[in-house]
């Protein structure tokens, strides 16, 4: 059984980022990322902080906007518009989910698609479906695909089952796995909360992508012998007696599933570090594409 280390693969991606950042610096360019958080959800705050920190570690320009929960739709739109116009900012990310009074779809549509490093804007969703390489692909599924490639997992012709149909992970993951080329060419099934007899479906899978958002949901009965399991879940569960009072667990019941697997990602140290590395890579790509746009 192979444990696929996201920490190791993310470091490789970040090394490529450092090389690209140096090449841009030689041209007088520095990629800039703006991360916007509305409200004070503790998990979202932690994600936003770690994105900001990673930017600074790499020497990227980073702007972190932490807005109060009382921020109105119009105020948030004004912030997005200002970032769209800011030439030092190449990537804009509004942390999801926003508070309930915010119309998230309208905010996403307001982001300049050329700066939408999350890949959530309709233009980028369409580019992914069209296999247009100039688009931005959501960071988490892009990181999962990279993990499969780096771990030497053959996706071509494989039965891949994606469990979860979110806009952030499930849907783009399915599109990536069915696209032509490395990390693609799979036969893809998308299962979700309304799927009948889920274990019967996932037991057909050579590759399972677990993106349900429920702790330890995928158990041994869901997995065939020799499957590859990618665990996207980051769930906070109570852990009395620990310093923080909680711990992070995946969507996969790791202890019972891992012994059946050919390969599996751990939580933490699996998909998590990849998401942030791919965000850095997307921000660099946005800067590179902005440059070639200028030269046209
Ligand atoms: N919330 C959970 N994952 C993500 C992500 O990749 N991007 C944004 N903007 N919000 C998220």
């Amino acid at each position: 059984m192979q444990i696929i280390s996201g920490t190791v693969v993310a470091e490789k991606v970040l090394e490529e980022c450092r090389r690209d950042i140096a090449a841009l610096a030689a041209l007088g360019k520095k990629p800039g990322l703006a991360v916007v958080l509305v409200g004070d959800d503790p998990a979202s705050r932690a994600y936003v902080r770690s994105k900001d920190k990673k930017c600074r570690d790499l020497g990227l320009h980073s702007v972190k906007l932490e807005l109060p929960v009382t921020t109105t739709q119009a105020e948030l739109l004004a912030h997005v518009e200002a970032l769209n116009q800011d030439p030092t900012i190449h990537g804009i990310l509004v942390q999801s989910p926003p508070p309930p009074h915010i119309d998230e779809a309208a905010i996403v549509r307001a982001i300049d698609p050329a700066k939408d490093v999350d890949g959530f804007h309709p233009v980028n969703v369409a580019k992914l479906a069209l296999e247009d390489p100039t688009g931005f692909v959501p960071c988490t599924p892009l990181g999962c695909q990279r993990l499969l490639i780096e771990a030497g997992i053959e996706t071509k012709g494989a039965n891949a089952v994606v469990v979860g149909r979110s806009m952030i992970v499930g849907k783009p993951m399915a599109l990536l796995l069915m696209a032509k080329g490395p990390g693609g060419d799979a036969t893809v099934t998308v299962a979700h909360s309304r799927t009948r007899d889920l274990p019967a479906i996932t037991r057909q899978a050579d590759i399972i992508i677990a993106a349900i958002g429920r702790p330890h949901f995928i158990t041994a009965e869901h997995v065939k012998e020799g499957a590859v399991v990618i665990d996207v879940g980051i769930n906070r569960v109570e852990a009395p007696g620990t310093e923080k009072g909680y711990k992070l667990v995946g969507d996969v019941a790791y202890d019972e599933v891992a012994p059946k697997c050919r390969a599996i990602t751990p939580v933490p140290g699996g998909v998590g570090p990849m998401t942030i590395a791919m965000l850095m890579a997307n921000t660099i790509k946005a800067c590179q594409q902005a440059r070639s746009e200028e030269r046209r």
Side-chain angles (χ1 to χ4, degrees):
M1 195 265 299
Q2 174 189 0
I3 297 174
I4 305 174
S5 169
T7 315
V8 170
V9 179
E11 193 41 53
K12 181 172 178 188
V13 173
L14 293 171
E15 200 46 54
E16 294 165 6
C17 289
R18 288 186 197 99
R19 191 196 61 210
D20 292 343
I21 290 164
L24 285 164
L27 301 166
K29 291 277 169 183
K30 185 187 241 191
L33 175 68
V35 181
V36 183
L37 172 67
V38 185
D40 43 23
D41 174 66
S44 291
R45 276 177 88 104
Y47 294 141
V48 165
R49 297 238 159 105
S50 60
K51 287 165 185 172
D52 179 55
K53 181 173 184 305
K54 187 59 75 183
C55 273
R56 288 169 194 279
D57 290 349
L58 285 176
L60 295 188
H61 175 51
S62 175
V63 172
K64 182 178 58 169
L65 287 182
E66 290 183 291
L67 305 174
V69 69
T70 50
T71 305
T72 65
Q73 180 82 9
E75 286 165 345
L76 182 54
L77 280 172
H79 281 291
V80 168
E81 197 43 49
L83 293 168
N84 281 342
Q85 299 302 329
D86 184 340
T88 70
I89 294 296
H90 304 93
I92 304 170
L93 177 151
V94 179
Q95 185 65 30
S96 181
H101 67 278
I102 298 291
D103 176 355
E104 187 175 15
I107 300 297
V108 166
R109 282 195 303 272
I111 297 172
D112 179 347
K115 296 190 177 188
D116 169 39
V117 286
D118 258 331
F120 297 166
H121 189 286
V123 165
N124 286 315
V125 176
K127 284 186 173 183
L128 175 55
L130 294 166
E131 301 184 31
D132 175 340
T134 68
F136 292 101
V137 178
C139 306
T140 300
L142 191 58
C144 293
Q145 185 188 47
R146 183 72 188 260
L147 281 177
L148 291 170
I149 293 170
E150 294 289 337
I153 309 297
E154 178 67 277
T155 54
K156 183 164 64 181
N159 287 336
V161 176
V162 179
V163 191
R165 55 178 158 180
S166 71
M167 292 302 303
I168 298 184
V169 184
K171 277 186 196 145
M173 188 77 247
L175 287 167
L176 280 174
L177 287 165
M178 75 175 81
K180 295 185 190 76
D185 294 316
T187 304
V188 181
T189 303
V190 181
H192 47 75
S193 55
R194 299 287 180 269
T195 293
R196 200 187 320 135
D197 198 359
L198 180 66
I201 307 249
T202 51
R203 276 200 302 269
Q204 303 291 316
D206 304 308
I207 300 168
I208 297 175
I209 311 285
I212 313 115
R214 289 212 234 156
H216 294 172
F217 184 82
I218 299 293
T219 57
E221 65 151 350
H222 290 87
V223 180
K224 79 169 176 191
E225 203 68 44
V228 174
V229 175
I230 305 292
D231 188 351
V232 180
I234 305 181
N235 307 289
R236 284 189 181 203
V237 299
E238 277 184 40
T242 62
E243 193 187 324
K244 292 177 174 164
Y246 69 87
K247 61 175 184 169
L248 298 177
V249 303
D251 289 352
V252 176
Y254 186 91
D255 292 345
E256 63 177 83
V257 169
K260 298 184 81 175
C261 292
R262 177 182 148 204
I264 187 168
T265 62
V267 177
V271 174
M274 289 303 292
T275 295
I276 222 161
M278 300 326 276
L279 175 64
M280 301 300 120
N282 275 353
T283 302
I284 291 163
K285 176 178 171 179
C287 181
Q288 289 165 334
Q289 292 190 166
R291 239 191 81 70
S292 45
E293 200 58 37
E294 267 167 34
R295 285 150 44 126
R296 229 171 252 160

